[in-house]
Structure formats: C-alpha cells, structure tokens
Amino acid sequence: EQALHLAEQIHSPKNEAGALYAIGSSYRRMGEIPKGLDFIYKGLQISTDNRDSQGLASGYTNMGLIHFDLDEYITAINNFQVALKVREQLHDSDQQVYLLMRIAYAYSKNKQSDSASAYMQEAIDEWNKLKLTDYFNGLYFELIGEIEFASNNRGLAFDYLNKSIQINQKNNFL
C-alpha cells in the first residue's frame, strides 16, 4: 500500500492503477475476494479515465483471475478476452499467449473441451513462434496438463505436469 501512497503523492495515475491491481491481486490470493475486487475496480476506473491501455489490460486480466477463482468461468473468459483484445492492439505477444492459455484453461474448467483445445492450440502456435522463456514454458506445461487432465487424458496430463515441475525446479520456482 506504500506504492499506492507514493503514486498518489506524485500524481501518477498509471502507477496508482498498478499499485491498486497489485493490492487487489494480493487480497485475491489471500481469499479476500470482495476487497480484491474493490481495489481492482478502482484501478480499472483510473485506467479508463486516463485511457491507459496497458492498465486496462492488466485490470481485465485481474478481473478474469478473480472470476476464475470464483468458478465463474464464462465471466472470467469474457474478462480475459477483453484483456486479449487490448494486448493485441499493444502488440504484447507474451501476454497474448498467457491470456490465450488462461482462456483455454477456463473453457476446460467449464467443460468446453473443444474451445479449450482451440485456444490452447493458438497459444501453442504463438508460444512456438516466440520461443518463450523457461518461466513461461513451466506455466504453459502446467496449464496444458490441467486441460488434458480435465479431458480425461490422465497419462498425457501427468507428462505435462511433470515437465512443468521439472522446469519450475530448475528455475527455483518450487
């Protein structure tokens, strides 16, 4: 919250919105969803008022994560798709891949495996084209493992999840 106070003092709306998103995300991880939503909504308002596309994309991504945590997968997908459109306009390829994977995972959790597969394939194609880092690879393998698990492809799911664990251990993320 100190970052928020500093951003307010120097009149930096972009940093203020970023601090609000970080605080909201922290509350989400602690399970305090209403408090998290409040901070994220405030950040979205600032980003909207200042026409900050980067801030809007971050806000909608955070909204998607909250709705995903609440098992509100369609609302999560809608938020992720708004963020994806903004990221496409910004030519932010790494974040586009991340959002495609999140959309795929949300479709998978909503038992819409065809949509999940289509979005994951798009993410895979973009991921291969960009040759993303091991950090991203770990996330990718984790999410595709979850999708395969939801599709009852248990053997393939465990292969992907094991690969994710290996990459995360190599990068000291576990």
Side-chain angles (χ1 to χ4, degrees), residues 64-107:
L65 292 169
I66 283 181
H67 288 287
F68 185 91
D69 289 350
L70 294 170
D71 298 335
E72 297 170 353
Y73 302 117
I74 298 302
T75 305
I77 290 165
N78 291 337
N79 280 284
F80 291 144
Q81 286 176 331
V82 170
L84 178 61
K85 284 184 178 135
V86 175
R87 294 292 182 190
E88 286 169 351
Q89 293 169 353
L90 295 170
H91 305 289
D92 190 349
S93 300
D94 288 8
Q95 286 300 308
Q96 288 175 50
V97 172
Y98 170 77
L99 288 162
L100 289 167
M101 289 189 296
R102 282 288 173 192
I103 292 167
Y105 190 31
Y107 272 123

Side-chain angles (χ1 to χ4, degrees), residues 3-170:
L4 175 60
H5 181 66
L6 290 172
E8 289 169 339
Q9 280 185 327
I10 62 170
H11 305 291
S12 175
K14 190 175 203 164
N15 289 328
E16 188 177 341
L20 287 165
Y21 295 146
I23 294 167
S25 180
S26 294
Y27 279 116
R28 174 185 71 84
R29 286 190 200 104
M30 293 186 307
E32 295 186 41
I33 301 297
K35 218 171 193 177
L37 276 171
D38 185 48
F39 281 98
I40 291 168
Y41 280 133
K42 287 177 184 172
L44 271 170
Q45 187 61 56
I46 291 169
S47 295
T48 300
D49 291 347
N50 289 280
R51 296 185 178 155
D52 175 14
S53 296
Q54 194 90 8
L56 286 170
S58 295
Y60 281 107
T61 299
N62 276 294
M63 291 295 295
L65 292 169
I66 283 181
H67 288 287
F68 185 91
D69 289 350
L70 294 170
D71 298 335
E72 297 170 353
Y73 302 117
I74 298 302
T75 305
I77 290 165
N78 291 337
N79 280 284
F80 291 144
Q81 286 176 331
V82 170
L84 178 61
K85 284 184 178 135
V86 175
R87 294 292 182 190
E88 286 169 351
Q89 293 169 353
L90 295 170
H91 305 289
D92 190 349
S93 300
D94 288 8
Q95 286 300 308
Q96 288 175 50
V97 172
Y98 170 77
L99 288 162
L100 289 167
M101 289 189 296
R102 282 288 173 192
I103 292 167
Y105 190 31
Y107 272 123
S108 171
K109 295 293 273 183
N110 204 49
K111 302 194 182 338
Q112 294 175 268
S113 57
D114 289 346
S115 294
S117 294
Y119 273 93
M120 187 52 78
Q121 188 58 56
E122 190 176 345
I124 290 167
D125 292 345
E126 198 62 26
W127 175 74
N128 285 328
K129 185 174 90 178
L130 295 171
K131 298 181 176 136
L132 294 172
T133 64
D134 274 353
Y135 166 76
F136 223 90
N137 295 349
L139 175 63
Y140 157 75
F141 287 119
E142 179 182 343
L143 290 176
I144 199 166
E146 293 285 346
I147 289 168
E148 293 297 340
F149 193 80
S151 299
N152 282 330
N153 298 327
R154 306 250 193 266
L156 194 55
F158 285 118
D159 290 344
Y160 282 117
L161 292 171
N162 277 330
K163 190 156 185 141
S164 172
I165 290 168
Q166 290 168 0
I167 290 169
N168 287 331
Q169 285 175 331
K170 175 181 147 197

